[in-house]
Amino acid sequence: MPPLCFAYYCSGHGFGHATRVSAFAGHLLSLEEQHSVHIVSSAPKRVFAKAIALGAAYRNAEIDPVILQPLAYYVDRQKSIRVLESFLSKKEQKIEEEARWLQEIKADCLLSDAAFLGFLAAHQVGIPSVLITNFTFDSIYSLLSASFVEQTHSQHLLPSPSDSMHHLPEPDMPIPEETLSPLVQQIFEGYRHADMLLVLPGAIPIPSFGTSPSLPATQWIDPISRSFKPEVITHLIRDPDEYTLYPSIPFSPSHSGAPPVAKPKPRSTHLAPLLVRPPNDDVYTPEGRSHFLSSLGIPVDLHDPIATKILIVSFGGQVFHKPSRSGTPSRPASPAPLPECEHQLRSNSFCRDLSKELNLLSRKNGQERQELVFSSSHIFVPGAPAPAAMPSPTLPTFTTTPPTPTPMSNAFSLERASSEPENADVHCLMLPDASWIAVVCGVADSREWQTKRRDIGASPGEEDSDLPEGFYIAPRDVYMPDLMAVGDVLLGKLGYGTVSECVDSCTPFVYVSRPLFVEEHGLRLLLEREGVGVEMSRDAYEAGEWASAVSDAWRAGAQRKSQRRTGKHVPDRRAQGQQMARDVVAWVNEWISGIKSD
């Protein structure tokens, strides 16, 4: 059979869609038929680098609306709906534009993860389409009417109204069903035009394919337990081949008065393997591990995986403030015990400083910043999903924001606290003990931070004086599968990209929940089956009290992580992905043959 041309639409909301699109595009491009793949997305080109290096083309286009998260684990419902309404007002124009483009490239099939617009364009030009995902956005938006979801946040964690770089969220109010339902229906109808569904691990119900469970997603969740109802879980553990499906939507008639044109194949659903980017093989060797850690500026004496444990902090885009400090104390051999009052004051002092350094990257109108912006006191990092509070440790899209300290007894004043070494007690609060270090993702290098970067061979003590002791910044373009391989625990938010890479690398996952993202329920089930997940409360996260959850995750997952590094628990993801690619190609060829025979 001749090579096929695939148009691959990728949602711009979060990087999880992009990582798996890049992975599957790579599998298609590695087949011997030499198929072509055109990736379409509002996500930046760099996140598809692996696929592009294999020959994929890339086109930037606004193909889906964006859920707005001005603060971590907080969804701005009102603004998200206005963005959706604006996008849908231009829907017909966008369908025409995409249909013309599909004809220009002579596309044989459209794939989408999980932008609904492409299915309408594919239907218009008469080509088959495949939905590859673990959730769809009709479910996400439908939950915005939930009244049982709490999105409260501490006022002292919010951006200052005078800060033009931040946009305060509007009061959190459920969207009325009469407003929401017609909008969600349009998204649902878009997905109804897809012809095949490939269900990724960690899925939730896909209401546009199976007739039940149906929308709204609020019906799937028990308001008391805040988890999926038993009947929904029962649905999810069934084989998708057993689902009762909505029928195909026939093509429009070729001329007025003619009957609709039936599609050559009925709709179908199938399980898909875990789509995940592979690590480089040498990162699991001592030499490869040491080389990778050195590239992060981590000194050689911290490369031994037995002696040093690594916490990865990865939430997405944020503002990382450069701290103002007079000096950096040496790294203690172990956390020294302190009187209770003094311990809290030192902790608050550190957290207050760290909150200045780790802050949220707001998104303007739901769009990522396309370029880095530097100032004398900030690094604005484009990035990934959003975070939550404001003044507290917030690394990549997370806002670890410990609250502003409250006045305490006269014995220890806040002035005294502020004069303490800022990070003297960091390990006691944030890391389990002095054997742990942390690597923060999402912060791009800048001259502002490159004061005294400690490299391999440098003398001890020549470390970056502008970072908290034991904390290191990963390059903006760090390859996350390799970082997962060397890391011991990850702290972040539940998203497919992060969960899939944790499962693949056997990395225990400490997560902070986003209550208005129904996708999380499926990902939690995946972690229960195939990984280790420990939920951290929002209060503990914002207070910078991470050590306990990190310890719990490490104890639960240490053995499996160690075994992964010795070559166990290593499924052949490449073979699984290539088989999925061959199955898709065969399905498209059958479709084309059916059209020709008609």
Side-chain angles (χ1 to χ4, degrees):
M1 300 293 289
L4 301 173
C5 176
F6 291 93
Y8 207 157
Y9 282 60
C10 176
S11 171
H13 185 88
F15 283 1
H17 301 279
T19 59
R20 61 200 192 195
V21 163
S22 186
F24 188 58
H27 293 314
L28 285 169
L29 292 166
S30 68
L31 298 180
E32 58 188 16
E33 294 92 341
Q34 296 185 322
H35 306 292
S36 59
V37 177
H38 297 254
I39 296 173
V40 186
S41 181
S42 59
K45 184 177 182 179
R46 61 183 173 81
V47 301
F48 305 103
K50 286 280 186 179
I52 292 171
L54 292 172
Y58 168 83
R59 178 170 72 93
N60 186 278
E62 183 189 359
I63 56 170
D64 64 343
V66 177
I67 296 283
L68 289 181
Q69 289 178 264
L71 303 174
Y73 39 80
Y74 184 98
V75 171
D76 192 323
R77 306 194 210 204
Q78 309 301 324
K79 290 183 179 177
S80 294
I81 289 302
R82 289 201 291 272
V83 169
L84 175 59
E85 288 173 330
S86 175
F87 181 87
L88 292 176
S89 71
K90 300 174 286 187
K91 183 182 69 173
E92 297 305 322
Q93 174 189 341
K94 289 180 175 294
I95 293 172
E96 292 295 332
E97 292 171 354
E98 296 306 313
R100 284 195 298 270
W101 178 77
L102 291 171
Q103 291 173 323
E104 288 173 6
I105 66 168
K106 296 180 172 59
D108 294 297
C109 177
L110 181 138
L111 313 174
S112 182
D113 180 357
F116 70 90
L117 186 78
F119 300 116
L120 296 166
H123 185 81
Q124 183 164 311
V125 299
I127 62 173
S129 57
V130 183
L131 173 59
I132 307 173
T133 191
N134 63 313
F135 76 96
T136 48
F137 282 99
D138 47 1
S139 303
I140 300 295
Y141 278 101
S142 75
L143 198 66
L144 298 187
S145 66
S147 58
F148 58 81
V149 173
E150 297 177 2
Q151 285 206 112
T152 56
H153 50 267
S154 303
Q155 291 302 314
H156 64 266
L157 300 181
L158 292 175
S160 167
S162 63
D163 188 348
S164 62
M165 297 306 298
H166 296 93
H167 304 271
L168 289 172
E170 297 184 18
D172 184 48
M173 298 292 292
I175 305 299
E177 190 62 38
E178 58 269 24
T179 299
L180 188 61
S181 182
L183 304 175
V184 171
Q185 184 64 26
Q186 291 191 59
I187 303 174
F188 172 84
E189 287 298 329
Y191 291 124
R192 278 282 288 114
H193 287 75
D195 301 301
M196 181 167 69
L197 168 64
L198 298 179
V199 185
L200 293 171
I204 63 173
I206 309 296
S208 56
F209 268 80
T211 57
S212 66
S214 60
L215 293 172
T218 50
Q219 298 177 343
W220 307 344
I221 301 171
D222 184 323
I224 305 301
S225 66
R226 306 295 176 90
S227 58
F228 273 160
K229 294 177 179 178
E231 59 268 29
V232 176
I233 296 176
T234 299
H235 166 82
L236 293 175
I237 62 178
R238 292 172 55 201
D239 190 315
D241 288 339
E242 301 174 5
Y243 294 171
T244 301
L245 304 182
Y246 287 110
S248 295
I249 296 178
F251 290 126
S252 300
S254 55
H255 58 275
S256 178
V261 179
K263 292 182 175 178
K265 291 181 68 66
R267 293 183 105 203
S268 59
T269 59
H270 310 280
L271 284 174
L274 194 73
L275 290 180
V276 59
R277 297 175 298 176
N280 291 299
D281 292 337
D282 64 350
V283 78
Y284 281 105
T285 67
E287 297 78 11
R289 174 186 174 90
S290 186
H291 177 77
F292 180 78
L293 292 176
S294 293
S295 73
L296 305 180
I298 297 176
V300 177
D301 56 301
L302 300 179
H303 290 188
D304 183 353
I306 304 300
T308 301
K309 303 303 175 191
I310 300 174
L311 172 67
I312 304 167
V313 187
S314 179
F315 284 77
Q318 82 289 335
V319 177
F320 201 136
H321 293 253
K322 178 180 176 181
S324 57
R325 58 177 88 245
S326 58
T328 301
S330 60
R331 187 168 181 264
S334 62
L338 294 171
E340 184 174 354
C341 289
E342 186 169 356
H343 176 279
Q344 184 170 352
L345 284 169
R346 287 193 180 189
S347 299
N348 285 335
S349 175
F350 169 76
C351 290
R352 184 172 59 251
D353 286 329
L354 191 55
S355 73
K356 296 176 184 176
E357 301 163 18
L358 304 176
N359 254 323
L360 151 78
L361 176 63
S362 300
R363 298 179 180 192
K364 186 174 183 180
N365 298 325
Q367 300 299 315
E368 298 178 34
R369 300 182 187 280
Q370 297 301 311
E371 303 293 338
L372 285 176
V373 179
F374 298 96
S375 74
S376 60
S377 61
H378 300 77
I379 301 177
F380 300 107
V381 185
M390 188 153 150
S392 133
T394 169
L395 303 103
T397 302
F398 78 54
T399 295
T400 278
T401 317
T404 303
T406 55
M408 301 189 62
S409 104
N410 292 334
F412 297 96
S413 68
L414 292 179
E415 287 74 17
R416 175 180 174 184
S418 63
S419 67
E420 297 284 355
E422 288 91 329
N423 56 3
D425 206 28
V426 56
H427 288 89
C428 189
L429 261 186
M430 309 185 79
L431 303 176
D433 57 52
S435 69
W436 285 78
I437 62 175
V439 175
V440 181
C441 301
V443 181
D445 287 337
S446 91
R447 295 176 185 176
E448 179 184 9
W449 293 91
Q450 295 170 346
T451 52
K452 289 193 292 182
R453 188 118 181 169
R454 180 161 141 189
D455 296 313
I456 185 169
S459 60
E462 272 193 77
E463 53 192 42
D464 189 336
S465 62
D466 283 337
L467 289 174
E469 183 69 19
F471 279 69
Y472 299 85
I473 292 178
R476 182 188 181 199
D477 60 350
V478 66
Y479 189 52
M480 282 302 296
D482 286 355
L483 185 55
M484 290 288 202
V486 302
D488 296 287
V489 174
L490 182 131
L491 170 61
K493 69 169 189 61
L494 284 173
Y496 178 92
T498 306
V499 171
S500 64
E501 288 173 354
C502 279
V503 168
D504 187 64
S505 63
C506 299
T507 303
F509 190 0
V510 177
Y511 61 88
V512 181
S513 178
R514 295 176 298 166
L516 266 184
F517 266 75
V518 68
E519 175 198 11
E520 286 197 355
H521 294 277
L523 295 174
R524 288 187 191 214
L525 293 173
L526 175 60
L527 275 177
E528 289 175 9
R529 291 195 310 268
E530 300 186 30
V532 171
V534 173
E535 183 173 2
M536 178 186 291
S537 72
R538 190 183 313 183
D539 288 344
Y541 172 71
E542 293 177 354
E545 296 171 356
W546 306 346
S548 177
V550 171
S551 294
D552 290 346
W554 176 241
R555 280 193 296 270
Q559 181 178 1
R560 189 172 179 87
K561 181 69 176 182
S562 178
Q563 291 172 342
R564 175 67 175 85
R565 287 172 172 159
T566 60
K568 297 181 181 179
H569 312 300
V570 188
D572 193 341
R573 306 288 187 197
R574 184 171 182 272
Q576 293 174 350
Q578 287 190 333
Q579 183 58 53
M580 175 178 163
R582 284 190 285 269
D583 290 343
V584 168
V585 168
W587 180 85
V588 176
N589 283 326
E590 289 174 7
W591 179 289
I592 294 173
S593 297
I595 290 286
K596 290 179 178 178
S597 63
D598 291 343

